[in-house]
């Protein structure tokens, strides 16, 4: 599998390249945002992107927005900005995870492995698991979501995980902490905010594809659910 490393700092890029190789992946390196988009177009088999935010020519945020128009590849953001709002902004833009600089490369690779496991989780099933919930058909095996009108909905791995969790337990309310622990499979002091951002993105995509149908509902002060009558 190819992993795209995007960073204008040559030392950081070379360090990550070494660790990516040691994990058995094939590194592809870009030094700015425009080169990153070019590498993505010419390497359709890229399985994950490690993306710096602060770069010349074209920022990582701009790259995120462009990639998320038609690609759900897992993206791990690297940034020197460590504030909670900066992390939330990165997640809103479409990142799957966020690591601040300076970082431990071992932590970065642990996050990479976790993202790849989540992205490939459905492929381990021998028989497709398909859920029909409201206007949606959700295929766990292929990670595909389609409306009753045949419209495909492009979701990130985390958005799909949230949707599948809620759809698998219709009418059950999951708190933000429950969702974070089950989908992210880790603990975090900002889990509620992180889940809120991803649910908001998920809801926007579902409503756009279904003509305004509010598939995911908020139970104020409690959490989220998909209601089935």
């Amino acid at each position: 599998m190819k992993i795209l490393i995007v960073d204008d700092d040559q030392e950081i890029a070379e360090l990550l390249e070494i660790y990516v190789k040691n994990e058995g992946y094939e590194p592809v390196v870009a030094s700015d945002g425009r080169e990153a988009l070019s590498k993505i177009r010419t390497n359709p088999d890229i399985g994950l992107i490690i993306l710096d935010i602060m770069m010349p020519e074209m920022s990582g945020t701009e790259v995120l927005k462009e990639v998320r128009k038609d690609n759900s590849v897992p993206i791990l953001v690297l940034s020197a900005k460590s504030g909670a709002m900066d992390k939330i902004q990165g997640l809103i833009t479409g990142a799957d995870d966020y690591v601040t600089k300076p970082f431990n490369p071992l932590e970065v690779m642990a996050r990479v492995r976790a993202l790849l496991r989540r992205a490939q989780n459905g492929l381990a099933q021998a028989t497709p698991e398909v859920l029909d919930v409201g206007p949606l058909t959700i295929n766990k095996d292929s990670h595909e979501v389609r409306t009753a009108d045949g419209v495909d909905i492009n979701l990130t791995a985390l958005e799909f995980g949230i949707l599948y969790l809620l759809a698998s337990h219709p009418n059950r309310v999951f708190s933000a902490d429950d969702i974070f622990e089950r989908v992210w499979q880790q603990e975090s002091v900002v889990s509620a905010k992180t889940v809120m951002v991803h649910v908001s993105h998920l809801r926007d995509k579902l409503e756009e594809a279904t003509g305004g149908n509010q598939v995911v509902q908020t139970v104020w002060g409690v959490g989220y659910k998909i209601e089935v009558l």
Side-chain angles (χ1 to χ4, degrees), residues 4-188:
L4 175 61
I5 301 166
V6 189
D7 202 307
D8 62 316
D9 187 318
Q10 185 176 351
E11 290 186 2
I12 290 178
E14 290 178 350
L15 176 65
L16 290 173
E17 186 176 4
I18 291 171
Y19 276 83
V20 165
K21 285 182 178 178
N22 287 342
E23 290 287 334
Y25 302 115
E26 179 182 347
V28 178
V29 181
S31 59
D32 60 58
R34 297 191 188 282
E35 185 182 2
L37 292 179
S38 176
K39 292 289 178 69
I40 292 169
R41 286 192 293 269
T42 56
N43 293 273
D45 53 342
I46 286 173
L48 182 139
I49 300 172
I50 302 174
L51 177 66
D52 183 31
I53 287 295
M54 300 178 67
M55 295 185 295
E57 298 294 329
M58 186 179 196
S59 71
T61 301
E62 293 175 286
V63 174
L64 265 171
K65 291 178 180 178
E66 286 298 314
V67 172
R68 283 295 179 245
K69 288 180 180 179
D70 58 7
N71 197 325
S72 60
V73 62
I75 299 177
L76 172 63
V77 161
L78 303 178
S79 178
K81 297 181 178 181
S82 59
M85 290 308 300
D86 294 310
K87 294 182 180 181
I88 291 172
Q89 183 59 46
L91 294 169
I92 289 174
T93 308
D96 294 286
D97 203 352
Y98 191 110
V99 175
T100 57
K101 294 181 177 180
F103 57 80
N104 183 331
L106 293 176
E107 178 189 357
V108 172
M109 295 315 301
R111 301 286 187 99
V112 165
R113 290 192 296 272
L115 287 175
L116 291 175
R117 280 197 303 271
R118 287 196 289 266
Q120 297 171 353
N121 184 49
L123 298 179
Q125 300 294 329
T127 304
E129 295 184 34
V130 179
L131 298 175
D132 289 308
V133 179
L136 304 177
T137 296
I138 306 166
N139 190 315
K140 183 180 180 181
D141 186 66
S142 62
H143 274 221
E144 292 177 337
V145 181
R146 184 170 297 171
T147 69
D149 297 328
V151 177
D152 290 320
I153 306 175
N154 185 31
L155 302 180
T156 67
L158 291 174
E159 290 165 356
F160 183 91
I162 294 170
L163 177 62
Y164 193 84
L165 173 64
L166 298 180
S168 300
H169 303 82
N171 302 317
R172 175 177 170 180
V173 180
F174 285 87
S175 69
D177 287 337
D178 287 338
I179 293 174
F180 194 90
E181 290 177 6
R182 289 170 179 258
V183 177
W184 275 257
Q185 298 179 359
Q186 59 179 289
E187 296 181 0
S188 172

